[in-house]
Amino acid sequence: LGQISDLTIYAGQALTMGSGGLLMANLTSSGSGWTSIPAVTLDPPTGGGDTATVQPVMGVLSENTRVNPTSSGLGYQSAPLVILTDSGGTGSGAQARAYLYNEVDPTMSPTNPNYGKIQYLQILDPGTGYTGPVSVTLTGGGFVTPAAFANLELNLQQLNVVDPGSGYSAIPNITFSGGGGTGAQGTEIGRAHV
């Protein structure tokens, strides 16, 4: 009774489990501003037992997020390839695409001052396993002056149960600390199923 097991909690999504464990999981908000992995702790069981532990899984921002450049560059003939690199060296799979002003508006005249400049990049896949700020490198595109982007924030994607703990008969609270972010919420890990 009261064990958290076989559970992955995704941001903004409720999951149900079979009988014998906790019934419901809900990470209500992934927060924002993460520059590293936050520490995540759960309240211990009120009647004694072992406290469950969870591990946060981070990605790069979130899918379809648009990121504006710190400098749009100049003279791009085509959109450059975007390479996202985890400073922690463990992340993989994140993908993004750069968009030129004249791609977004194909009727734009070549005499427009924004022609050949990067308007934004869009995250296509946040990847997984990121542990530190993510740098953006642009290659190709035939530029005169390169565009630049600040390091990208991390996104709290899910919480994986590492140790199910024991003795839970009430919903434990989740506390997030460190990592530079704010606003993550996960007060409903679940309800004990008797």
Side-chain angles (χ1 to χ4, degrees), residues 2-194:
Q3 205 178 52
I4 302 171
S5 62
D6 299 325
L7 177 62
T8 300
I9 307 164
Y10 296 90
Q13 179 180 16
L15 302 175
T16 59
M17 297 171 31
S19 63
L22 292 183
L23 184 61
M24 186 174 129
N26 192 10
L27 180 59
T28 56
S29 172
S30 60
S32 64
W34 303 109
T35 56
S36 62
I37 297 176
V40 182
T41 55
L42 279 70
D43 285 349
T46 55
D50 297 320
T51 303
T53 57
V54 295
Q55 177 182 12
V57 176
M58 309 299 280
V60 179
L61 295 172
S62 59
E63 190 173 347
N64 296 320
T65 300
R66 289 184 179 183
V67 179
N68 294 325
T70 55
S71 170
S72 292
L74 180 64
Y76 280 93
Q77 302 299 310
S78 62
L81 175 67
V82 179
I83 300 169
L84 303 175
T85 306
D86 180 15
S87 65
T90 60
S92 66
Q95 297 178 21
R97 184 187 188 288
Y99 287 88
L100 303 177
Y101 279 95
N102 45 293
E103 282 183 301
V104 175
D105 179 5
T107 64
M108 180 178 283
S109 166
T111 59
N112 187 304
N114 286 325
Y115 193 90
K117 292 183 176 182
I118 293 178
Q119 184 173 1
Y120 61 87
L121 69 81
Q122 184 168 353
I123 303 298
L124 304 175
D125 185 335
T128 188
Y130 288 81
T131 58
V134 178
S135 64
V136 177
T137 305
L138 304 174
T139 63
F143 60 87
V144 174
T145 304
F149 287 84
N151 286 346
L152 302 181
E153 294 177 1
L154 299 177
N155 178 49
L156 177 57
Q157 294 180 317
Q158 66 191 48
L159 299 173
N160 290 336
V161 173
V162 176
D163 180 349
S166 64
Y168 284 99
S169 60
I171 301 168
N173 289 318
I174 301 175
T175 304
F176 299 88
S177 60
T182 60
Q185 296 177 353
T187 56
E188 287 187 25
I189 277 284
R191 282 177 257 168
H193 180 70
V194 181

